[in-house]
Amino acid sequence: MLTIKNVTKVFNMTGNKDDARKALDNLNLTVNDGEFVTIIGSNGSGKTTTLNIITGEKMPDSGKVLLSGMDITKLKVHQRAKYFGRVFQDPMIGTSAEMSCLENMELSFRRGKHRSMLKWGFSDNTVKLLFQKQLAEFDLGLENRLSQKVGVMSGGQRQALTLLMASTDCRIDTEKEFYTMHVNVETGALRVQAEREINELQNRIKEAKKVNKTAGTQANEINVSELEASLKKLKADYKGKIKEKAEVCKNEAIEFYRKAVEQYKTNSITR
Amino acid sequence: MKSKKLLLLSAISLVALASCGGNRRIDMSTWKFSPENPDNIKVGILQPIEHGALTAARLGFVSAFEASNVKVTIDYQNAGSSSSDLNTLAKNLVANNDLTLGIGTGASVALQSASIYAGKTNPIFFTAVTDAVDAGLVDSDAAPGQNITGSSDLNPVADQIALIKRCIPSATKIGVMYTQSEQNSKVQADLAKAKAEQEGLAVTIATCNDASDIASVAQQICSSGISALFIPTDNNLAAHMDSVKAALDANHVLCVTGETSSCQQGGHVTLSIDYEQLGYKAGLQAVQVIKGEAKPCDIPVFKFAGAECELQISSANLADAGITLPQEVVDAAKDISK
Amino acid sequence: MDFVNLLFIILTSGLPCSLLALGIFITYRLLDFADLTAEGSFLIGGVVCITIIKNGGNAFLATVIAILAGGMCGLITGLLHTKLKIPKLLSGIITMTASASIAMLIMGSTVETMFTNVVTLSYTQDTIYSLFFVGGVWNQVIEAGIMLVIVLVVLFLLYFFFGTEYGMAIRATGMNPQMSRAQGINTDLSTIFAVSLSNALIGLAGAMFCQDLRSVDVKTASGFLVIGLASIIIGETIFGKKTFKNWIISVSLGAIIYFVIVNFAIRVGFPTEMKNLLYAVLIVIALCMPFIKDYFKKLFAKKKEGGLESVNN
């Protein structure tokens, strides 16, 4: 639960009293667990300022910011980072152009964790594969561009990456969560493929029905029932394939997960 | 376990290697000057920066070869006040020449280092070095000990003190002023004190720390009843002689300086070293070695005695201070007033 | 034989500057921090090292303390920038200026002159090179060997360090400080650490150079910042920076190439008044190499295609 209590923020660049602008005046806001909040306001109404105060980029002049009862008002940005995943407005800030996709994700992967001088910073294959799966969900082809520098990617791709980095939970706690995600990612491609083919076929059926209406002669009639039968078969086929794949993936994922957790629990990352 | 053993082994071998290493003294008993081409000696000269005195010394050195009919090829390099260039040039000169000259302490030590690190034993000469022993170039001024010798620009302090009695026969009390942190100045001040006491003069010593306290220290010592003040070759004071001049003028104190420019800027009398002559003397030493007449280890470091220096006075400054010198001194001296 | 001599002259001049270039590289390239402390920490490293050896200390100890002294200079610059919010450039200048005074204090002199007030070592005092000398022509081989070992060790350490979690945090700080903070990196601390590390390396370079020269004075470090930057740029241009390993090796080699140019100028017998001009020209040529290569490639390609290409253009 996030609470903003009586926060006031005044901006005064020149030190002149007349130039002072009150961005936030005695703001009070509470966000409960699991809530999805949208802040709407016109230009200059203080939206970004509120966000900055929550994440620590700016300090309030008065008031408090509490997270689950803990006072985080005085904490600096990097000290609060473990509680927040921030998606910056500007994708250029959210990701680091000189680093590769993989390096960016490794940064966010360790958010909140202590960065050691003795541990190798490049993740081993289990985590790399995890990253790939996470990237594949966006269907932007990013999973094949892990070692490419982020600077060559488009703004949209970088923003997708920022979103992913913000939502990275480096604690893989729930087994079920893990392999559900894994399964969804694996079967996701199949599902997309299936949808595509099904839509295609459905369109062909539609077209055929139209043609039949206008053609008239039986000789030129396209066998719609044949097409419908193949559609049914296609759907059943895919359902079967996906189910099969899901089973295989689930078992794969469980193995995967156990190994990864073991490694991270015992803190021995092999190169 | 394996890596620990390896570490221990390499540590031991490192210590072992280090203990049998070290700078080897050159065995001068078997030392011989061996030029690549005895008919045309390759001479390398290293000058650290463009400077009148240093250039004069270089020209003097070179002229010694002509005067002695020794054919040489001169390889002259100027480091242009860059340490990196000084180092690289020194290495190149040592590698390419039969003998080398360093002008000033920095250049001479650079040549010495290059020589040690290249394992070469060719003779190295220096000039315009004030204290060759302190610089590690020679074992002692009288017996340099290895392949390095040259000429020192230490001014003849004893003769300069004797000058005081010559100018002011009735003097009983003199002062010596120098900058505390300049080791070179302290050495001269001690020499001055010793000679002055020998001459039966009472000596007061005053030191200053930097440019800011020169005026006050000068005023203090000049008003303490001294008839003359000796200022050695001191970089800090040489740069700010005008601060001393005010005190000299106010108290009519005669000022004997260690070198020419201080005399010009505010002092009155000096015995100055001719840098071209200094270089020439080092050149003569080189000729001796080339002709096989002597080895560098046996040639003592050359230093000017007072009689070989030029007596200089500044009549303008003397007039400002209201001091008149004995006529014989004025006649024998060269007036270097600005 | 002459070529061998020249090779060792280049190596013994260039290898300390490889360390200098690597030190400057850490702040200038990785941390995006134009750090002018370099000449200050170089000088302090040299002064501390020579003064300790001159007073009877062990050469290894002197070198280690020079590294720490260099690190201290970096620490001061880092603190000035992160805690007192002094701009990066100014922080470096402040430390560099202060270090000139501290150097004079350590050496015991008050006046800056080029050819007096030099602290030199006597023949009996050993540097880390001469500790291993056996005499004769092997000396320069051993000296170059020791320098090479030190440079290689530093390269290995840097490669592994910047691959660790904290090393990557430092690189992130340089590339995008705001994002780094949002990812939980204490950018103040990583900046201070990197600047200290950089200047510690530069202090080591100073110690290595001054032990090669066996002397030090207040003006010893002047001009080395330019040499360091030139080495970085030459190295990157000629050898590329595709991977991190490639990059640090390029930077180290850049210093060696710089001294190849310098020694070439000396051997060719270039008049000493014009030598700085020659260095500048040769460096520009070295930097233009990729463009020149490209230009000639295009020229040959055009000729091959025949008239059509030029018509279309």
Side-chain angles (χ1 to χ4, degrees):
Chain A
M1 189 175 82
L2 176 72
T3 316
I4 298 178
K5 246 186 178 173
N6 299 328
V7 159
T8 306
K9 179 70 185 170
V10 179
F11 284 112
N12 197 338
M13 298 271 280
T14 59
N16 206 339
K17 253 207 266 181
D18 302 323
D19 289 337
R21 260 193 53 246
K22 227 180 214 177
L24 300 174
D25 190 359
N26 235 327
L27 178 70
N28 279 283
L29 175 68
T30 307
V31 180
N32 291 308
D33 286 346
E35 269 191 334
F36 187 95
V37 176
T38 310
I39 301 178
I40 305 173
S42 54
N43 288 331
S45 52
K47 304 185 293 295
T48 312
T49 308
T50 310
L51 212 59
N52 281 336
I53 289 195
I54 294 174
T55 55
E57 304 251 344
K58 296 267 186 306
M59 296 288 169
D61 292 326
S62 65
K64 286 205 186 126
V65 180
L66 303 162
L67 187 65
S68 301
M70 187 173 57
D71 188 351
I72 60 169
T73 327
K74 291 280 163 25
L75 292 185
K76 297 214 184 87
V77 175
H78 65 267
Q79 289 166 319
R80 283 192 228 192
K82 58 175 169 280
Y83 306 120
F84 299 105
R86 178 164 181 177
V87 179
F88 286 96
Q89 215 171 327
D90 182 356
M92 307 305 161
I93 302 182
T95 54
S96 182
E98 304 273 317
M99 297 205 280
S100 69
C101 219
L102 181 62
E103 285 171 336
N104 269 289
M105 295 190 72
E106 266 152 8
L107 261 187
S108 64
F109 192 76
R110 288 175 179 79
R111 181 177 66 232
K113 281 208 253 180
H114 171 66
R115 290 178 165 87
S116 161
M117 273 189 241
L118 300 169
K119 285 209 208 130
W120 194 237
F122 293 94
S123 315
D124 62 5
N125 282 323
T126 45
V127 183
K128 245 196 209 169
L129 280 169
L130 175 65
F131 288 158
Q132 272 181 319
K133 286 178 201 319
Q134 288 176 328
L135 281 170
E137 278 189 20
F138 286 103
D139 207 14
L140 291 168
L142 288 175
E143 66 274 15
N144 300 319
R145 303 169 73 175
L146 266 185
S147 11
Q148 256 191 3
K149 296 231 187 297
V150 160
V152 304
M153 297 179 187
S154 72
Q157 288 169 321
R158 289 176 73 164
Q159 196 63 317
L161 185 59
T162 311
L163 182 61
L164 184 59
M165 284 164 65
S167 56
T168 299
D169 186 352
C170 52
R171 284 169 285 280
I172 314 167
D173 281 325
T174 321
E175 187 175 330
K176 185 146 181 252
E177 249 179 70
F178 179 83
Y179 69 74
T180 307
M181 177 187 78
H182 184 93
V183 165
N184 283 338
V185 167
E186 285 300 295
T187 56
L190 258 181
R191 268 188 257 254
V192 167
Q193 204 181 343
E195 226 179 81
R196 224 181 284 138
E197 281 187 34
I198 289 170
N199 275 339
E200 235 185 73
L201 202 48
Q202 281 174 334
N203 284 337
R204 274 176 68 195
I205 293 173
K206 244 204 237 161
E207 279 306 311
K209 284 190 174 154
K210 259 201 219 155
V211 167
N212 284 352
K213 260 200 180 149
T214 55
T217 42
Q218 260 211 318
N220 290 334
E221 230 175 57
I222 303 172
N223 201 334
V224 176
S225 44
E226 238 179 56
L227 287 173
E228 287 182 331
S230 29
L231 180 64
K232 221 177 174 182
K233 186 166 180 282
L234 191 69
K235 282 191 178 161
D237 258 346
Y238 264 111
K239 199 167 177 193
K241 270 196 206 160
I242 290 173
K243 197 169 175 200
E244 204 184 273
K245 185 134 199 200
E247 263 312 304
V248 171
C249 284
K250 181 169 151 194
N251 295 325
E252 241 178 48
I254 293 174
E255 247 322 296
F256 212 94
Y257 170 78
R258 292 238 172 91
K259 256 198 255 166
V261 165
E262 231 179 318
Q263 286 199 327
Y264 280 89
K265 280 199 173 150
T266 58
N267 271 340
S268 57
I269 299 181
T270 53
R271 286 175 208 176
Chain B
M1 212 50 237
K2 206 173 176 194
S3 54
K4 266 195 189 168
K5 259 193 185 170
L6 195 67
L7 211 67
L8 192 64
L9 196 67
S10 37
I12 294 175
S13 44
L14 209 73
V15 174
L17 273 173
S19 46
C20 59
N23 281 325
R24 301 284 157 92
R25 281 190 71 88
I26 301 172
D27 185 2
M28 292 308 286
S29 56
T30 55
W31 189 90
K32 225 176 78 116
F33 177 61
S34 35
E36 212 178 285
N37 177 2
D39 295 324
N40 193 338
I41 314 288
K42 291 203 281 182
V43 174
I45 301 183
L46 184 61
Q47 185 169 331
I49 57 172
E50 263 319 312
H51 188 280
L54 303 183
T55 305
R58 170 167 54 95
L59 296 172
F61 182 80
V62 172
S63 65
F65 296 110
E66 212 182 278
S68 315
N69 269 323
V70 177
K71 187 155 192 300
V72 295
T73 309
I74 304 283
D75 180 1
Y76 161 56
Q77 299 289 351
N78 188 315
S81 79
S82 158
S83 290
S84 174
D85 283 345
L86 191 73
N87 196 10
T88 309
L89 287 169
K91 289 178 205 257
N92 274 286
L93 285 170
V94 162
N96 292 336
N97 294 288
D98 302 316
L99 70 84
T100 49
L101 169 75
I103 307 179
T105 312
S108 307
V109 174
L111 288 169
Q112 180 189 26
S113 304
S115 204
I116 293 176
Y117 289 143
K120 292 229 169 187
T121 56
N122 286 334
I124 301 175
F125 295 92
F126 58 81
T127 184
V129 170
T130 310
D131 190 346
V133 176
D134 182 57
L137 293 164
V138 298
D139 296 338
S140 70
D141 284 341
Q146 292 196 90
N147 59 331
I148 308 177
T149 189
S151 55
S152 157
D153 63 356
L154 179 67
N155 54 311
V157 177
D159 297 274
Q160 284 162 343
I161 296 297
L163 203 53
I164 295 179
K165 262 284 170 91
R166 195 171 151 195
C167 293
I168 309 177
S170 57
T172 50
K173 205 166 160 208
I174 67 157
V176 175
M177 180 177 166
Y178 67 95
T179 308
Q180 191 161 40
S181 53
E182 296 201 23
Q183 182 59 22
N184 192 26
S185 302
K186 182 167 191 307
V187 167
Q188 293 173 63
D190 291 338
L191 282 169
K193 182 158 189 261
K195 177 68 179 178
E197 285 170 350
Q198 226 178 40
E199 299 261 320
L201 296 163
V203 183
T204 324
I205 300 199
T207 57
C208 58
N209 287 313
D210 52 44
S212 58
D213 56 350
I214 293 179
S216 53
V217 172
Q219 185 57 35
Q220 206 172 26
I221 193 174
C222 287
S223 51
S224 68
I226 56 172
S227 7
L229 179 68
F230 174 65
I231 295 185
T233 56
D234 181 301
N235 292 306
N236 185 29
L237 289 171
H240 302 98
M241 274 309 284
D242 45 331
S243 308
V244 182
K245 187 170 186 295
L248 296 170
D249 292 347
N251 295 285
H252 310 296
V253 173
L254 178 73
C255 181
V256 177
T257 63
E259 44 87 36
T260 307
S261 77
S262 301
C263 180
Q264 237 180 12
Q265 303 297 331
H268 304 132
V269 198
T270 186
L271 280 171
S272 91
I273 293 179
D274 182 344
Y275 273 83
E276 193 174 334
Q277 267 299 303
L278 194 67
Y280 184 76
K281 293 293 181 188
L284 290 179
Q285 291 175 331
V287 168
Q288 268 189 298
V289 171
I290 291 173
K291 290 190 172 165
E293 291 164 13
K295 296 184 195 172
C297 53
D298 303 318
I299 304 178
V301 174
F302 177 83
K303 274 183 276 204
F304 273 119
E308 291 168 299
C309 297
E310 188 179 45
L311 178 62
Q312 296 174 341
I313 61 170
S314 169
S315 53
N317 294 341
L318 282 164
D320 288 341
I323 300 175
T324 324
L325 291 177
Q327 195 55 40
E328 65 95 5
V329 175
V330 177
D331 290 338
K334 177 170 165 198
D335 192 349
I336 55 164
S337 308
K338 271 190 290 179
Chain C
M1 207 44 219
D2 185 53
F3 173 73
V4 174
N5 266 336
L6 190 59
L7 175 69
F8 285 109
I9 291 177
I10 292 172
L11 283 178
T12 52
S13 307
L15 286 168
C17 287
S18 292
L19 285 181
L20 171 71
L22 283 171
I24 297 178
F25 159 82
I26 293 175
T27 43
Y28 185 53
R29 289 294 195 222
L30 293 186
L31 201 62
D32 196 25
F33 190 127
D35 185 14
L36 292 182
T37 317
E39 286 187 4
S41 36
F42 191 88
L43 179 65
I44 291 280
V47 165
V48 163
C49 182
I50 296 292
T51 309
I52 291 179
I53 298 179
K54 187 163 181 87
N55 287 305
N58 173 270
F60 279 110
L61 185 69
T63 310
V64 168
I65 296 185
I67 298 175
L68 294 173
M72 283 285 287
C73 292
L75 181 68
I76 294 171
T77 303
L79 286 171
L80 284 175
H81 174 60
T82 55
K83 300 303 176 194
L84 296 183
K85 309 295 179 208
I86 296 175
K88 292 173 183 173
L89 222 55
L90 212 52
S91 307
I93 293 174
I94 291 173
T95 311
M96 180 191 78
T97 312
S99 64
S101 300
I102 296 177
M104 290 203 277
L105 262 172
I106 298 176
M107 291 197 302
S109 75
T110 53
V111 187
E112 304 181 15
T113 49
M114 174 79 189
F115 54 97
T116 58
N117 290 320
V118 179
V119 178
T120 64
L121 298 178
S122 82
Y123 206 91
T124 55
Q125 288 164 333
D126 283 316
T127 62
I128 51 172
Y129 313 121
S130 61
L131 274 176
F132 297 94
F133 279 172
V134 292
V137 287
W138 284 105
N139 282 357
Q140 55 183 1
V141 178
I142 292 174
E143 184 188 11
I146 293 176
M147 286 186 178
L148 188 64
V149 165
I150 295 178
V151 171
L152 287 176
V153 167
V154 168
L155 279 172
F156 273 124
L157 289 175
L158 282 181
Y159 175 69
F160 284 115
F161 176 72
F162 282 103
T164 61
E165 293 178 350
Y166 198 68
M168 290 183 69
I170 293 179
R171 294 183 60 198
T173 309
M175 293 192 247
N176 193 337
Q178 196 173 5
M179 178 194 95
S180 306
R181 279 190 290 270
Q183 301 299 343
I185 298 173
N186 185 340
T187 50
D188 279 355
L189 208 62
S190 56
T191 302
I192 294 173
F193 188 88
V195 176
S196 301
L197 176 65
S198 152
N199 284 285
L201 274 182
I202 298 175
L204 175 62
M208 285 177 69
F209 175 77
C210 289
Q211 287 184 80
D212 184 31
L213 200 51
R214 286 174 64 253
S215 68
V216 70
D217 72 84
V218 179
K219 289 279 198 246
T220 299
S222 83
F224 275 101
L225 180 62
V226 172
I227 295 178
L229 288 171
S231 304
I232 293 176
I233 295 175
I234 292 174
E236 285 176 352
T237 310
I238 297 181
F239 301 105
K241 45 177 173 165
K242 293 198 205 83
T243 62
F244 189 75
K245 198 197 286 187
N246 181 197
W247 206 356
I248 52 178
I249 294 177
S250 302
V251 164
S252 317
L253 289 176
I256 310 281
I257 299 294
Y258 176 83
F259 281 96
V260 168
I261 296 175
V262 167
N263 277 283
F264 170 75
I266 294 173
R267 288 288 162 136
V268 153
F270 214 72
T272 133
E273 308 81 56
M274 300 267 278
K275 70 174 156 48
N276 280 328
L277 183 63
L278 179 70
Y279 297 164
V281 169
L282 288 172
I283 289 173
V284 168
I285 294 177
L287 290 175
C288 287
M289 268 309 170
F291 295 118
I292 297 175
K293 268 195 247 169
D294 265 348
Y295 178 75
F296 279 110
K297 254 196 221 164
K298 286 198 186 128
L299 205 64
F300 284 132
K302 264 195 187 164
K303 284 198 171 148
K304 254 189 173 174
E305 298 284 323
L308 206 63
E309 266 288 334
S310 43
V311 167
N312 285 338
N313 282 336

